[in-house]
Amino acid sequence: MLNNRKSYPVLNHCIYANTAAYGLLNDELLEWRQNHDLDYLVGGSSMKIESLGLIGETRQIVGEFFKCKKDLIALVPNFSLGLNMLLEGLDSEEHILLLENDYPSVNWPVESRGFQISYAKINEHLEQNILEKVRNNSITVLALSLVQWINGIRVDLDFLKSLKEEFPQLLIIADGTQFCGAFEIDFENSGIDVLGASGYKWLLAGTGNGFFLFKDLAQRRFTIKTTGFNSANAVLTAKNTIPFNKHFEPGHLDSLNFGSLKCALEILNNIGMKEIAAHNENLSKKAGKGFDELGLLNNYVIQRNRHSTIFNIKDNNGLYNHLKEENVVCSRRGEGIRLSFHYYNTVEDIDAILEIIRKMR
């Protein structure tokens, strides 16, 4: 993984522990974007019309990367817009289970539409909390983030699969924005019915691109009303034969943004998601052990078997400002400091952060 650090100039002057806020720009992606816009500069509409094929190529690689049929993939500018379009097509009688204090763009769109809602607590017993709510409350939909944005708690994908096997009619909608690109997922063989994500965090694709993946059966639960000329691929006679996934693409999709997603996925593929996931698992264990030894983690994080690479540590004695002074890029979230590590980080980065904290004590 060390060789890949050369592609991220930011790492030359800081310890970047903020991928949960924004992923870094790869110099290969920068070059692609510059060439794209240069072609647009000199080619005008001809270039843009020719680039329409790039959207199909992006859909193809998204399907291959996450193991989903390409005609069940919707390309969207970001997760939040996609979820709002999706929920507009969901029956108002559904009883939806959310997680307490989940990402606002997951919970708020549900809460604003008048569904019956229950909540499960996020703690060391997260999966058991979800199971008990589903078993005892006539839940019909579960909507949650695969990784929690504040504390990094990561839901067990095997649990979601077993939950779906026990409750096959339960519709599971997942936000993978803090998961996809950091760890592997086989959507078709998962328990998830709908998986959405924005591309600007762990996928390192920049802003303005995202996707939603659907299972065949999931389509039957929604009546999507969003539509536009692009939904029909600019065919006037196709208004009444629009495929399910194209309802989420009513207007033109930007070739720069979605070409960036394609390029970013190619970069991750070239490195290898198995290698990236294994590296990130190692970073997770290293950081978790170090922060635990310093007494900086909440008990419910310590007691879980697996965690993401996002950690929220206690902000003692002005620690956040001190980390900034030491060129550690991180974020304030909740009552603590959120540090997040990706494949371009090293165990040495974590050791350096731990040493900074020790010296401050």
Side-chain angles (χ1 to χ4, degrees):
M1 291 296 167
L2 286 175
N3 289 336
N4 296 300
R5 288 173 61 87
K6 299 174 184 177
S7 299
Y8 300 95
V10 172
L11 303 178
N12 293 327
H13 55 79
C14 72
I15 298 175
Y16 193 80
N18 209 27
T19 300
Y22 280 93
L24 294 180
L25 177 63
N26 184 291
D27 56 14
E28 182 180 338
L29 176 55
L30 173 63
E31 182 179 2
W32 182 90
R33 289 166 67 98
Q34 289 175 327
N35 288 335
H36 172 280
D37 276 355
L38 180 60
D39 290 342
Y40 184 25
L41 180 69
V42 300
S45 61
S46 297
M47 176 272 178
K48 278 295 186 179
I49 292 170
E50 290 174 3
S51 71
L52 292 176
L54 187 59
I55 302 300
E57 294 171 11
T58 301
R59 199 186 312 277
Q60 179 73 30
I61 194 171
V62 169
E64 293 169 355
F65 195 91
F66 295 105
K67 308 296 189 296
C68 179
K69 300 172 184 176
K70 66 179 182 179
D71 58 348
L72 290 175
I73 298 169
L75 300 177
V76 294
N78 54 60
F79 171 83
S80 301
L81 281 172
L83 182 63
N84 275 275
M85 286 189 281
L86 184 71
L87 292 175
E88 281 297 299
L90 190 61
D91 193 302
S92 62
E93 299 301 312
E94 301 277 7
H95 185 174
I96 302 180
L97 178 63
L98 302 175
L99 305 186
E100 291 183 358
N101 302 313
D102 203 341
Y103 191 58
S105 286
V106 176
N107 283 8
W108 290 0
V110 176
E111 293 167 342
S112 68
R113 284 175 166 81
F115 295 109
Q116 182 180 357
I117 299 173
S118 295
Y119 295 88
K121 288 186 176 296
I122 300 173
N123 56 28
E124 66 271 27
H125 306 298
L126 173 60
E127 289 79 9
Q128 186 61 34
N129 297 340
I130 293 171
L131 182 59
E132 290 176 0
K133 288 288 185 178
V134 172
R135 283 178 173 171
N136 300 321
N137 292 272
S138 301
I139 301 295
T140 60
V141 180
L142 168 63
L144 79 172
S145 298
L146 295 182
V147 171
Q148 288 301 304
W149 67 301
I150 290 181
N151 54 38
I153 282 185
R154 171 179 163 192
V155 69
D156 185 342
L157 292 182
D158 289 335
F159 162 74
L160 292 182
K161 190 168 185 177
S162 66
L163 182 69
K164 184 68 178 180
E165 289 170 353
E166 184 175 349
F167 300 95
Q169 298 307 310
L170 177 69
L171 181 70
I172 301 179
I173 303 172
D175 175 10
T177 301
Q178 297 286 17
F179 182 98
C180 295
F183 303 102
E184 289 186 288
I185 186 167
D186 182 339
F187 175 69
E188 192 60 39
N189 290 314
S190 75
I192 300 167
D193 298 291
V194 180
L195 174 65
S198 294
Y200 70 97
K201 296 181 186 286
W202 304 89
L203 291 170
L204 312 176
T207 53
N209 60 69
F211 57 83
F212 268 74
L213 315 178
F214 304 97
K215 295 277 181 66
D216 286 302
L217 292 175
Q219 301 176 75
R220 303 175 188 174
R221 298 284 287 274
F222 300 96
T223 304
I224 307 300
K225 300 175 183 177
T226 311
T227 189
F229 201 27
N230 189 64
S231 298
N233 294 319
V235 177
L236 284 171
T237 57
K239 177 183 177 183
N240 298 319
T241 58
I242 294 171
F244 179 81
N245 64 318
K246 292 291 289 181
H247 281 282
F248 297 86
E249 303 174 10
H252 290 297
L253 298 174
D254 184 65
S255 57
L256 174 68
N257 290 336
F258 287 97
S260 294
L261 176 58
K262 175 179 179 286
C263 183
L265 292 178
E266 289 171 343
I267 292 170
L268 295 179
N269 267 336
N270 288 336
I271 299 168
M273 272 310 302
K274 285 189 182 300
E275 290 75 13
I276 291 172
H279 181 76
N280 286 344
E281 294 281 7
N282 187 46
L283 293 179
S284 177
K285 292 175 183 176
K286 172 74 175 179
K289 183 175 184 292
F291 293 141
D292 181 22
E293 290 173 350
L294 292 174
L296 295 173
L297 296 177
N298 289 315
N299 286 332
Y300 56 74
V301 170
I302 298 167
Q303 294 175 29
R304 289 184 62 81
N305 293 328
R306 299 180 76 185
H307 193 71
S308 70
T309 55
I310 300 173
F311 292 88
N312 195 305
I313 64 174
K314 298 172 184 176
D315 187 6
N316 298 328
N317 303 316
L319 177 57
Y320 175 73
N321 289 330
H322 185 62
L323 287 170
K324 286 181 62 178
E325 292 168 0
E326 294 292 331
N327 293 319
V328 177
V329 182
C330 52
S331 297
R332 277 197 172 111
R333 289 295 184 271
E335 297 179 355
I337 304 165
R338 188 182 68 184
L339 296 132
S340 50
F341 307 99
H342 203 3
Y343 78 84
Y344 39 61
N345 291 111
T346 64
V347 292
E348 289 76 18
D349 288 341
I350 295 170
D351 283 333
I353 291 171
L354 294 172
E355 186 60 24
I356 291 169
I357 296 171
R358 290 190 192 100
K359 286 183 176 179
M360 190 180 173
R361 294 191 156 196

